[in-house]
Amino acid sequence: MSATYNFCAGPAMLPAEVMQKAQKELLDWNGQGVSVMEVSHRSKEFIALTEQAEADIRELMAIPANYHVLFMHGGGRGQFAAVVNNFLGSKGKALYLVDGSWSSAAVDEAVKLAGTEQIDILNIVNKDNNINSISLPDLSAIDQDYRYVHYCPNETVDGIEIFEELNAPWPIVADMSSNIMSRKIDVSRYGLIYAGAQKNIGPSGLSIVIINDDLLALPQQPQASIMDYRLAVKHDSMYNTPPTFAWYLAAEVFKWLKSNGGVAAMEAINQQKAQLLYAFIDSCDFYESRVANANRSQMNVTFYLKDESLNEQFIRQAKEAGLVALKGHRSVGGMRASIYNAMPIEGVEALVNFMKQFAQRNA
Ligand code: PMP
């Protein structure tokens, strides 16, 4: 069988080496004769795994000592709620920047929990001639004492990424679910970073939270204990039983990243992969990108066939060629190739070849 390349936006493909190692160890982890799924999260072997995972992510992202790394439940949406409940109390206000579907969903949750009086919203997407672009506002001009400003630097559905640094006079909370560890960032610029694991880190069910200790002092609202950052810190992310298998796989992904040159190496190859695909889309009349050059996501490449009546045929033939999960999100249509860290450049080359041939056949 020839290779299958999985372009799913999430749960997304994981590195083949990690999956092979997990397969090998499935029934006998660490010489214990049982699976990692079957041991206590409080056993010394599992604790050693979590300590290594934390050390590795700290090294990979150069996380400063005054930040905690939490391994929590509830994916990205769980954090939409946790951020509000942990930081706003009954009076605090927050600013939400909207640059696409997920930041908009974060607003919905924040408004549901805190009400419109506590949540201010600022749209930062422009749509000109059907092309999306972002203009980051000068936030220092806003005279408000926000507890935090929330934004999503990579919009998974829309294929929009913000590469420019956001400057803000308040702590920045960033939803990096779909671009964490895809390129180097300066963690010290953020109050809190969170990410659902199922794109660049591991399977779903786990989310990573990187939090500046100063934010732990903010007043909170009554909330579910399992989403309480202070309890998570106090209990080393084990207030209740964590998703242990997802945590184990994340730990293996971190090892894989380290042995493949870390985030800097990922950034270089991710640029190359995205460049290859966008350059082809721009060079071929048959396809179009609807995102301005400066904001084209390196992780989620959205594109459209100019003749959209060929969409179904494109998806079907791509699948036959071993290129799966290319259908765009139902809310925006078109196509989406998610090319996270685990996607080898050969997958992108195979996609470009297929797109070229499909265009020739249907010109
Ligand atoms: N934020 C972003 C940027 C996402 O891409 C997603 C999921 N695709 C979410 C939040 C929601 O994550 P979950 O489904 O884990 O709640």
Side-chain angles (χ1 to χ4, degrees), residues 227-243:
M227 302 310 282
D228 182 335
Y229 294 144
R230 293 145 196 91
L231 284 179
V233 167
K234 188 167 161 209
H235 294 272
D236 294 325
S237 303
M238 293 200 190
Y239 176 74
N240 73 328
T241 313

Side-chain angles (χ1 to χ4, degrees), residues 128-143:
D128 287 325
N129 290 328
N130 224 11
I131 301 290
N132 287 308
S133 66
I134 300 291
S135 38
L136 282 185
D138 177 9
L139 298 176
S140 63
I142 301 178
D143 183 21

Side-chain angles (χ1 to χ4, degrees), residues 83-95:
V83 165
V84 174
N85 287 335
N86 277 278
F87 298 149
L88 284 189
S90 58
K91 295 200 183 66
K93 289 189 77 163
L95 178 64

Side-chain angles (χ1 to χ4, degrees), residues 25 33 43 54 70 95 117 125 187 192 234 277 304 322 353:
E25 297 182 343
S43 64
E54 178 171 341
L70 306 175
L95 178 64
E117 319 75 49
V125 196
V187 172
L192 184 145
K234 188 167 161 209
L277 194 42
Y304 294 80
N353 280 338

Side-chain angles (χ1 to χ4, degrees), residues 200-249:
N200 261 340
I201 292 175
S204 58
L206 176 74
S207 39
I208 303 289
V209 176
I210 301 166
I211 179 171
N212 184 313
D213 293 346
D214 291 346
L215 272 69
L216 293 167
L218 290 174
Q220 54 181 315
Q221 280 160 359
Q223 63 174 321
S225 300
I226 63 161
M227 302 310 282
D228 182 335
Y229 294 144
R230 293 145 196 91
L231 284 179
V233 167
K234 188 167 161 209
H235 294 272
D236 294 325
S237 303
M238 293 200 190
Y239 176 74
N240 73 328
T241 313
T244 51
F245 191 63
W247 202 334
Y248 154 80
L249 276 174

Side-chain angles (χ1 to χ4, degrees), residues 9-11 74-80 101-103 105-106 150 152-157 175-179 194-199 204-207 300 329 336 340:
R77 283 188 187 271
Q79 295 308 315
F80 291 174
S101 312
W102 286 110
S103 49
H150 179 279
C152 180
N154 188 68
E155 283 284 3
T156 323
V157 169
D175 173 2
M176 294 197 188
S177 293
S178 50
N179 69 345
Y194 65 84
Q198 64 270 24
K199 295 141 199 311
S204 58
L206 176 74
S207 39
N300 309 98
H329 191 269
R336 171 175 54 177
Y340 301 115

